[in-house]
Amino acid sequence: MTVLEDARAALSTGPLCDSCLGRLFADRSFGLANAERGRSLRVSVALEDDEPFEPDEDCWVCEGEAARFDEWADRAAAAVRGYEFDTYQLGTKVPPLLEENDRLLREDLGLSVGEGEDADRTDFAGERLKTEFNREVGKRVGGRVDAEVDFERPDVQLTLDLATDEVEVQVNSAFVYGRYRKLERDIPQTEWPCKECHETGIKAGEECPGCGGTGYRYDESVEELTAPVVLDAMDGEEAVFHGAGREDVDALMLGTGRPFVIEVKEPRRRDVDVEALEAEINEFADGKAEVEELRQATHDMVERVKEHDASKTYRMDVEFGEPVDEAALDAALDALEGATIEQETPQRVDHRRASLVRTREVYATDGELVDDRHADLEIHGAGGLYVKELVSSDEGRTEPSLAGELGVDAVVTALDVLAVEGEDEPFERPEFFRDGEE
Ligand SMILES: [Zn+2]
Ligand SMILES: [Zn+2]
């Protein structure tokens, strides 16, 4: 059959709108909207048959939905008003009944309907209603909002639900990357829930002795000193702190700082001035913590900071059980530099865990005596190296160790982290930033 014969047959099935008629031939003549195809065919059939021209008001296939593209676009644009976003994606939930109508029309005409619901679009004559909806409403939304379509991970996901007659909005998180320093001891990286009272602050009807009734073991955390400022600036619902590992609660984080990402859920603002934000956070954190190199990051930066292999540089105060001289310390440090260390799981980490030996490299060592019982050391090692045990030997569970090399007891009395750096490449790759720049 010719296109005109198919169109005539389609029009004889009942009232059919221009979009639903034209959609049968959506793969012909690129550059036309389906409604234009349908309108032209309706006119052509009327001329060929010399019948009066009658546009259909009703449509048994889409039940009038295809006449509502502008209305849906208005509603979609209204639904995201008040949210700042650069990218969006639009999808449509078409009720099974309407999908069935689209299929029945093709069956009536002997046109291909493909295999089953998920059949490839090319097996389906013309185009599905859902596809037309996504494109036509998507295009119209594009004219109403200042944003680009992104099929990968848009800032905002709009879903038109034709069955419930509602626009669903999903506002995806925004991310700020940076590096933090922790300048006071006894501050955890993130909120530390009290286990004694399961965060309730109450134990056996009394104020929990483990947390003084707060539900948290510590009053402050790096998260609480930084994330609320970002949450406020982006006007979101919740902020989550993601760190590239964490230092001990009693350790400082100094030097170049530790990479982190603050995720803000359902932000109303995204394009924040990161320099102003940095200054605000540093004022809020009041010298207990500070951040630098803040940048707007992509969603993938969360996994990046969590998974990227990083080496660590530590500074330590070490105390010896017996006097040590400078030559012996230098020899011990030289022996450890470049060494591969075998470590059983430290006793402080888990007494019960079955002994597991891991090997980690020490890249560089440096240090000097403060007096014959005390030293100030700096160690650069692979991620996962237990440095307290590298010093003490953990009763022989770490080999070699500083204590072992010196033949005297050695213990770390204070620990600072000076650097957390990517092993093979830096954390800061352009593809993880919203501006995509180096
Ligand atoms: Zn229709
Ligand atoms: Zn408690």
Side-chain angles (χ1 to χ4, degrees), residues 16-21 23 58-67 129:
L16 201 62
C17 73
D18 288 342
S19 284
C20 289
L21 175 59
R23 200 164 60 254
D58 302 322
C59 178
W60 72 271
V61 173
C62 71
E63 297 181 348
E65 288 294 347
L129 179 59

Side-chain angles (χ1 to χ4, degrees), residues 342-389:
E342 293 192 358
Q343 298 193 296
E344 289 180 46
T345 307
Q347 300 179 66
R348 69 183 162 99
V349 174
D350 198 336
H351 295 277
R352 295 153 297 177
R353 197 186 294 178
S355 211
L356 183 80
V357 178
R358 60 156 83 160
T359 59
R360 289 292 187 276
E361 221 169 304
V362 173
Y363 299 139
T365 59
D366 194 14
E368 54 188 25
L369 287 176
V370 175
D371 58 42
D372 65 4
R373 296 278 189 140
H374 299 89
D376 183 353
L377 307 185
E378 207 174 292
I379 289 180
H380 181 204
L385 175 72
Y386 294 115
V387 280
K388 285 177 178 171
E389 286 69 23

